[in-house]
Amino acid sequence: RKDGRETVFLLFGPNDCFGVSSLIDGEPRPQTARALTPVELGVLEADEFRRLRAEHPSFSDALLRLAFRQMREVSTHLADAKLSSVDARVAARIIELTPMSSVTGPEHLKVRLPQSEIASMVGASRQSVNKALQSFQRNGWVTLQHTNIIVHDLPALVRISSRS
């Protein structure tokens, strides 16, 4: 936005695809992307995109599945932002990020993400996110280490995320 505010709807991991809408409708990209870690990025040019769609009907089917999966995720996050507590939204985002996490020990997952990024993702202030994370830490569910969140009790976060 022109006023500098932003929100994060989707996080992408290995082998994910983004930016397809502009290839389909020819309009400018409605969003931006920023890498939080080093990435290797492949770019599909418009001519190659059209060729793939023409030569491989299953490619178009895959595009539809991708678009609807992403639309479903965005819709869910929008509904959560309106209906769920900050604690529930923070817990849900940590849970979402655990598949991209590294294992630090027996059943401990490390999520590396600054609190400001989590705030953008859940539609809350960094201070509100910090308050939720401090509460999670006091309960022994996580340990906070700079930009890392070490998850000790994933089931507790699941319980919190399901509350409104």
Side-chain angles (χ1 to χ4, degrees), residues 39-117:
V39 298
E40 186 175 318
L41 182 66
V43 177
L44 184 62
E45 298 294 336
D47 289 342
E48 184 68 9
F49 179 77
R50 285 190 290 277
R51 186 188 67 73
L52 281 169
R53 289 184 68 203
E55 293 178 10
H56 303 281
S58 61
F59 185 73
S60 289
D61 292 342
L63 287 173
L64 280 172
R65 285 190 304 277
L66 172 70
F68 281 98
R69 179 180 56 87
Q70 291 177 352
M71 185 177 68
R72 188 173 286 114
E73 287 181 44
V74 169
S75 297
T76 298
H77 292 305
L78 186 60
D80 285 348
K82 297 289 183 188
L83 303 173
S84 299
S85 69
V86 172
D87 285 7
R89 295 191 322 254
V90 170
R93 282 303 181 134
I94 292 170
I95 293 163
E96 263 179 38
L97 294 168
T98 57
M100 293 185 267
S101 301
S102 60
V103 177
T104 61
E107 299 182 23
H108 293 154
L109 298 165
K110 178 171 70 174
V111 174
R112 183 181 172 151
L113 199 62
Q115 291 181 20
S116 58
E117 290 291 331

